[in-house]
Amino acid sequence: MNKLKATYIKLKPRIIISFSIIIIGIALLNVYHVLEVKVTSNDECLWIPKPVTADSSVIHFDKVKVNGVTWNAGIRDGDRLLEINGVPLKSTYQAQAILNKVEGGSYAEYVVRKPDGKILTTKVYIKKLIQYGSLASSLSALIWFLIGFIVLMAKPDGLTNKLFYAIGVLSVFAAMEALLPWNIVGGEPLITSEFLLTTIMILWAIGISFIGVAVLYFFWMFPRPFKFAEKKWVKRLLIIIPSLLTVYVLYISAQTFIFKQLSFSFFIGFLSVYSIMVAILNIVAIVSLFINYRRVEKKEQKKPLLLIIVAFLFGIAVSVYANRIAPAIADVIFNSPEYYAPIVLIVLVPLAVAYAVFKYQLMDVSAVIRNAIVYGTATVTIAAIYFLVIYLAGHQVSMLVGTENRGIVAGIFFVIFALIFQSTKDRFQDFLTRKFYPEQFAHQRILVELSNELATAVGVENILELLKHTFVDALKIGKFGLMISDKKGELKLVESVGLNEEEYLIVQSGICDFIKKKSLVTKYPAIEQNDFKKIFTYETASKLLRDEIYTIIPMMVKQKVVGLLLFGLKHSGSQFSGKDLELLWAAANQAAVSIENARLYESEAEKLKLERDLDLARTIQEGLLPSEIPRIKNLDICGEMIPAMQVGGDYFDLLPVNGSDSKLYVVIGDVSGKGLSASLYMTKLQTMVKFACTSEKSPKEVLVEINKRMYGEIERSWFVTMTIAYFD
């Protein structure tokens, strides 16, 4: 399962690109269908059918436009349409199908019966009418999706990026209404396969059911998430309601067009109610965005939000005009299409949002796009100049050396081109970075200096101070935190600026797995706001969000997290992204290596110091043992103590009684445990023994006396075993 997941993560960019190509194809098909298939012939009047039998009806003219093409042909309100181009008519659908075959700018022959019974045969000039509403939705959907694709590719794991991409996909699905046969008045549908039409209907139902909710949830999460929007029941509700609506839309569509149980007017009425519901969702979404606008403090961050708010309000105004005002000031669209045409202006909404996204670096895309355009153009320009120069130079040299050596000359000039091009390109890109991206250039210069200084910094404290100085003072970051792992593997906050929460405690177990998975997608994986709740506890994630931490860069050495760098927004008010993350990763890795080396150095120094202290303690302990064996008549005796470590708790002593050469205490003891602690207890024990063995006492009396003293002075988890022999 883990292998499949890793494979999916690795192939995720390709899957996104492949899926996006399909969606772009559908979006272009929608536009084509509107401009070619759904275009209807227009004679600037309205046809009113009056049923005669179950299969036929008579057609009467109504709302004939004064001085319009039908008016100029002598036709008036109340006249009856009998034939078009010699074909007797049974329904308005048949009449429109015949008329649609007539090219725009040509004439169609109408046979008309006047109210007095006279038959009129006349020529009517035919115009072509585009369905502006479908054109507006198809073009808008295409633009929404293209922006969403760019946004997602800039940051595939970003929650708001995914939501924005979903809005684009759902917009394309909703615009697939143009491909459905009921939306083609008298024309020949481009798609006739029942399977494809069923698939289109399902996708269309999903699109119109989910698009409003997707927009609403996006503005609940952008630019700052509302707390209630992160609750599980809210997320479930936002999935369940549109899912039920999708089923209901499919039911209504099937009952209307397949089973013929509902009238077309009922279906149109249902769509009208649905459009009102979507309008309400959009209004709530804009209100949510306006609340977020009020929550943002910096003016620079408010500008793009204000632009998006104005764009959506403009879109709502255009929709209200097309659906309410235009029908009031114009009788029908056939007579006054110019009054309905402004609905196409709704495409300005995604264009305005795109401008806000790219101009103000929202959702981490602006830097990526601008870099691609500027650096790509620079590379192509330099390549073209070099190629032209070397081609001309090579041509001239070839003329001098002759045709037989032109291959060698071409090879030499190609090598020269390759060597010079790369260095010039790099220098030119540095110039562009300095000229057009001064903040990024300053970051690059400062972080390069940081890498050089880290190489010579000594001690963990000096390294931490250097990091804090670089990110806070040099880069002018208002929110910054530095966390370092301790011996338990827990990450603790050791340096911070601008953070309200003083206590952070993070267990690094989930960080390594997250970085490993994200490394399959990007070379410079960072932990961002939408990742906090996946990795950290709810309490820690809430603290990070309250402190407005947007980006976390791990400091790692050999899959081990040494520390974390916590960043708020840059001085310009935007998040770190693109080239910034690459530079921060380089600095973080260098800092991690420096911290780890400093720790190893300190650990080694402490170890050496401890070894010197233990050697000294061993010398002292050996000095406490008998330096020479007492001479006792008729007794040969010797003793030696070799500790398992530098020092220990083993002990022996030989104590003559009152300077006698025939009486001797022999003491052998062992303090539980090993090392320095045992040796200290042993030293205390030896002192007590020397004081207790100053007169002729039995071993029992000596041990009872020592036991009483030791009991009050030794830790409960320690004990001493001892044997005392009295030799006479």
Side-chain angles (χ1 to χ4, degrees), residues 129-136 318-346:
L129 177 64
I130 296 175
Q131 294 190 20
Y132 295 110
S134 297
L135 179 61
V318 170
S319 299
V320 170
Y321 168 81
N323 293 298
R324 298 289 179 233
I325 300 177
I329 61 178
D331 45 9
V332 290
I333 190 173
F334 302 103
N335 291 344
S336 306
E338 66 275 6
Y339 287 104
Y340 293 84
I343 187 64
V344 179
L345 293 175
I346 206 166

Side-chain angles (χ1 to χ4, degrees), residues 283-328:
I283 291 172
V284 175
I286 293 174
V287 171
S288 303
L289 182 60
F290 183 76
I291 294 173
N292 257 333
Y293 170 81
R294 296 292 301 271
R295 291 165 65 188
V296 174
E297 297 177 357
K298 295 183 179 180
K299 289 184 178 180
E300 194 67 24
Q301 294 176 265
K302 286 190 173 185
K303 289 181 181 179
L305 301 184
L306 181 60
L307 181 59
I308 295 175
I309 291 172
V310 172
F312 270 84
L313 289 175
F314 174 77
I316 291 176
V318 170
S319 299
V320 170
Y321 168 81
N323 293 298
R324 298 289 179 233
I325 300 177

Side-chain angles (χ1 to χ4, degrees), residues 648-722:
D650 296 327
Y651 157 67
F652 81 94
D653 208 347
L654 304 170
L655 302 172
V657 178
N658 297 326
S660 172
D661 60 352
S662 61
K663 297 178 181 180
L664 177 73
Y665 283 104
V666 179
V667 183
I668 298 176
D670 182 18
V671 179
S672 63
K674 295 179 175 62
L676 190 59
S677 300
S679 72
L680 293 174
Y681 277 122
M682 185 274 287
T683 303
K684 176 180 285 191
L685 177 64
Q686 183 191 40
T687 304
M688 292 181 181
V689 170
K690 287 185 180 290
F691 279 109
C693 295
T694 55
S695 59
E696 295 185 22
K697 297 178 183 176
S698 68
K700 176 182 178 181
E701 291 173 337
V702 173
L703 286 177
V704 169
E705 181 180 343
I706 295 173
N707 192 60
K708 287 180 179 180
R709 292 184 181 180
M710 287 294 294
Y711 182 78
E713 299 180 16
I714 196 171
E715 294 290 335
R716 296 284 81 87
S717 58
W718 290 75
F719 65 91
V720 178
T721 56
M722 178 181 288

